[in-house]
Structures are given as structure tokens and as C-alpha cells.
Amino acid sequence: WTTTLSLLLAATAALCSAQYDGHQLLQVFPGDEAQSRLLQDLMLHDADLDFWTEPNRVGEPVDVHVPPHRLQAFLAAIGPMTHVVREHNLQTVVAAEKARLAKKPRAFDINDFNTFEDIEDWLGGLSGSCPAGVTCQLVSAGQSFEGRDLWVFSMSKGAGREVFWMDATIHAREWLATATILKMMDHMVSGAADADSMLDQYDFYFMPVMNPDGYAFTWSSQRLWRKNRRPVGSGCFGADLNRNFDYSQWGREGVSSNPCSDIYCGPSGGSEPETQVVQDMAAELAPRGIPAWVTIHAYGQMWMHPWGHTVNNNGQTCFRGSDHAEMYRVAVEVANAIQGVYNSNWARGTSCEVIYETTGATDDYVKETHGVNHPICPELRGNSFIVNANQIDPSFREVWAGIVRFVEVM
């Protein structure tokens, strides 16, 4: 029995370690509108393809993770489109990251990537670092499908202030988003002058891991997992939580009804327990006023605001609300501040115009449902979900410069 068990465990370990063998990351360049639309159709309807970036305009590169059994069919589908192979074997990249993290000198490291359990431990002690004159509180806003807590850390100098909200890790594999928000939280409790000044104006709320089940799964099983982990039928798991928020546009554009798709919007708006927790938090805080809501993603260097849908959902003209000019004015100021740190380039504008039409997203939900003036979806630096830990600090520094400017100009 011992020998059989050992063989079984070894086989399981081998299976986990080889799950991306032969998987390629291709970068495709649509040469005209028809080619761009073809890529969009593949993204919406082929659940075997994992689009790391959405097709949005002619000539702009589109990153697609293609499993080996779909490679020839995908190449045939894109035909004459220019493409390059960014990674010939994604397992090599995944394995290298896993090997490095196995040698971390300490469990939690603010300048490295951390497991959900280690993040929880760190959060548990964060209130003890709270600056004088500031009340810090850690609460569980609710539980995920698998029973993990969705932790919210708040900081306040007293009653009467509006709320500045930040969350991250709605998509499980976007580890840089998690690490960046943790660095911002660490800076906020440090007593730094810029943080203290912002606390004079707003109460700050942080939810660093909105999708804890998915995030834990990226550490234990599938590094490139995106969705949550609730069984959804057809032998598949998870909905895209950033397509699941319950408002008038849910399920209309930029989503899939296939439960196995990475952009599956769920069976109904707000169907997922994690989405419900955030919706409940927004409803609880809304009477106090929420001028800003920042929901952090990776990657692509973008600072986006509502809206995600097109006029009459026609897939052609992106919708702009009556306050578009004001949202865009602030977005330009913030994106310019971010760019100034490392002389980078950040796109800015509506998510529909910057990326692609989508519905069911966090920022659009809080805008429509609770009247948040400036909901923002940043896509952080880099060109992959798997990045070196040395990108965490520059990501923090540039985004923090943007947050400081955000507070100044909104």
C-alpha cells in the first residue's frame, strides 16, 4: 500500500508539473478589421484558447495562450496574420517561477509573491502597525465558494469622510496586482506624509484578494487559472467575476455563455458568492459616498474608466456617458503621473475604447448602481502574468504616484 500510494503521489505531482507542456504563447497582429473581428470571435467562442490580451484594434498585438492540441487549428484559423511565438513552452516559465518561490527565505515577503495563507497572516498583524491617530480594522466581508474569507482592511481618521476603495486579484493569475496593492497598504500604514495627507480627506478600504479560491488554485494547481472555483456544469469550474456584476448591461457584450470559457459571465448577474460580497460592500459604503473605486488588474499599462459597452450593444461605437469629459480629464492626469515615474506609456479612456467591449465589470457596476464618480480599472505594467518579483516595487511606485495624483485632481 505504501508503494502504491507513493507511486500515485508521484504521478499526481508529475501531472501537475507538466500541465503546460507544449503550450505556446503566440502574439498575433491583425492586419485589418476583418482579422481583428476573427480574433474576437475566437476569443468569445473557442474555450480552448486563452486570450491574455483582447483584440481591440488593427495592428495591435494580441497575446494568445494555445494548448498543443489546438495549435494547428489555430494557425489555420488565423491564416495569413503575422504572428510570433513569445513562449514555445509555457511550462518552462511556470516551472522556473515555482522553483524560485520554493526557495523563498521567509514565508511572507512584501517584495515578492505570497500565498493566500501567508497574506492572511500578514493582514492579521497589519492593524498593529496602524499610525497614531488612525483607526485600522480588518474584517471579513464574506466568504468565497470554498469558504475562504474576503478580507477588507480599512483606515480612518474619524467619522464624516467619504470612501476611497481599492481591490485586486479578481482574476486569480494576476499576481502583480496582488503584490502591488499589498505594497500600497504597507505604505499607507507606514506613516508616510503622502499617505497621511490622503487620510485627511478619505477613509481607505482595501480588498487585496477578491478571488481567494482562484488565487489559491494558481499556487496549488494551475498557475494560469483566471476565474473563481464554483462548479458551473459541463465538468467546468468558475465564472469570470469581472463579467458577473449585476447591472443593466450584464451578459450583453464581450462575454461567453459557455461555462468552460475563461470569460464565462455566470448563469446570472451577481451569481457568484465573491461578486455578491463586493456588491454588498458597495451597498453598505455607498451612503457615505464613494468618489473613487480602483479595481486593479494586470497587464498592459492602461488606466480605464467606464463604460465597457457599445451604443445599443451594436459592437461598433463605444458608449460615453454624460460625465465622460470629467472622467477622462482625471484619467489623463493620473496616467500622466504614472508615466512620469519611469517614462512609460499608459493608455487611458473608456475600457471599451482602450481594450474591447465588455459587460458585467466592477467599475461599470459601481458607476451605474451606486453613482461612483471615478471607478477605475488599471492594467499594470508588463507583458505577462508571470513576471519577475523585481517588477513589484516599480509597479507600486508608479501606481502610487497615480493614486496620489488621483486624490489631488478628482
Side-chain angles (χ1 to χ4, degrees):
W1 165 247
T2 302
T3 301
T4 302
L5 178 60
S6 298
L7 290 172
L8 178 61
L9 291 173
T12 302
L15 178 63
C16 290
S17 65
Q19 62 192 342
Y20 296 112
D21 271 341
H23 290 233
Q24 294 192 2
L25 181 62
L26 303 183
Q27 191 166 75
V28 185
F29 298 83
D32 54 37
E33 191 62 34
Q35 291 182 350
S36 183
R37 283 292 172 185
L38 171 62
L39 290 175
Q40 291 171 8
D41 287 342
L42 288 171
M43 179 182 70
L44 292 173
H45 300 115
D46 192 333
D48 286 334
L49 300 175
D50 175 16
F51 279 74
W52 286 17
T53 56
E54 292 88 347
N56 61 343
R57 56 178 59 88
V58 174
E60 289 293 313
V62 180
D63 294 340
V64 190
H65 163 202
V66 185
H69 73 279
R70 294 286 290 122
L71 181 60
Q72 292 307 313
F74 178 71
L75 292 175
I78 64 174
M81 285 190 224
T82 301
H83 70 276
V84 296
V85 181
R86 284 192 51 200
E87 295 290 348
H88 287 274
N89 187 0
L90 278 169
Q91 182 59 30
T92 302
V93 183
V94 171
E97 179 187 60
K98 183 176 182 180
R100 185 193 68 78
L101 288 170
K103 300 176 182 178
K104 277 177 64 178
R106 55 188 179 275
F108 182 87
D109 185 345
I110 196 68
N111 291 305
D112 207 338
F113 305 108
N114 299 283
T115 67
F116 180 70
E117 292 77 16
D118 289 339
I119 291 170
E120 282 190 305
D121 288 344
W122 180 77
L123 288 172
L126 195 58
S127 294
S129 303
C130 200
V134 179
T135 299
C136 295
Q137 187 176 22
L138 178 69
V139 300
S140 172
Q143 278 74 45
S144 66
F145 173 77
E146 293 180 348
R148 293 180 176 87
D149 289 298
L150 275 69
W151 294 107
V152 174
F153 182 76
S154 62
M155 302 180 68
S156 174
K157 283 191 173 182
R161 291 175 175 82
E162 294 182 311
V163 170
F164 193 113
W165 172 280
M166 284 193 269
D167 65 61
T169 333
I170 190 171
H171 290 148
R173 62 193 177 186
E174 297 173 5
W175 287 11
L176 185 60
T178 319
T180 300
I181 196 172
L182 293 176
K183 285 277 284 188
M184 287 194 283
M185 295 166 66
D186 188 60
H187 186 76
M188 286 290 292
V189 301
S190 71
D194 52 5
D196 187 67
S197 176
M198 292 196 297
L199 285 166
D200 286 336
Q201 301 176 66
Y202 300 106
D203 290 347
F204 276 75
Y205 282 70
F206 300 90
M207 180 182 281
V209 186
M210 183 190 157
N211 180 8
D213 295 350
Y215 183 70
F217 192 67
T218 62
W219 281 80
S220 67
S221 302
Q222 293 187 27
R223 173 62 180 88
L224 299 174
W225 187 260
R226 170 183 169 99
K227 304 184 288 181
N228 72 342
R229 291 294 300 163
R230 187 176 70 85
V232 290
S234 303
C236 296
F237 291 80
D240 181 344
L241 299 178
N242 204 42
R243 304 288 195 278
N244 187 243
F245 280 84
D246 188 15
Y247 66 104
S248 65
Q249 292 293 319
W250 173 82
R252 294 193 177 186
E253 292 183 272
V255 304
S256 174
S257 59
N258 181 349
C260 300
S261 169
D262 273 343
I263 54 173
Y264 174 53
C265 59
S268 60
S271 60
E272 305 310 299
E274 298 85 358
T275 310
Q276 294 164 15
V277 169
V278 175
Q279 291 183 169
D280 289 346
M281 281 298 303
E284 178 184 327
L285 296 172
R288 296 171 50 186
I290 312 173
W293 188 293
V294 182
T295 179
I296 303 171
H297 291 244
Y299 58 92
Q301 299 181 183
M302 308 166 190
W303 191 266
M304 298 176 291
H305 59 75
W307 296 87
H309 63 279
T310 59
V311 176
N312 298 322
N313 304 121
N314 62 16
Q316 298 176 2
T317 305
C318 291
F319 177 80
R320 290 182 172 184
S322 59
D323 60 345
H324 171 82
E326 172 61 11
M327 286 194 293
Y328 186 72
R329 176 192 70 81
V330 173
V332 168
E333 291 276 357
V334 176
N336 286 345
I338 295 172
Q339 291 179 164
V341 179
Y342 295 106
N343 194 31
S344 56
N345 183 40
W346 281 57
R348 72 291 307 265
T350 70
S351 58
C352 178
E353 291 168 296
V354 173
I355 297 186
Y356 172 68
E357 57 263 29
T358 57
T359 52
T362 315
D363 52 342
D364 286 5
Y365 167 80
V366 296
K367 181 73 172 176
E368 179 181 289
T369 307
H370 298 295
V372 175
N373 290 331
H374 295 283
I376 295 297
C377 176
E379 294 279 359
L380 301 182
R381 62 170 35 224
N383 62 359
S384 177
F385 299 120
I386 302 175
V387 299
N388 195 290
N390 65 16
Q391 295 301 298
I392 295 171
D393 190 64
S395 178
F396 154 70
R397 292 180 183 277
E398 63 190 2
V399 174
W400 182 255
I403 295 297
V404 170
R405 187 60 176 158
F406 197 6
V407 171
E408 291 172 348
V409 301
M410 72 175 176

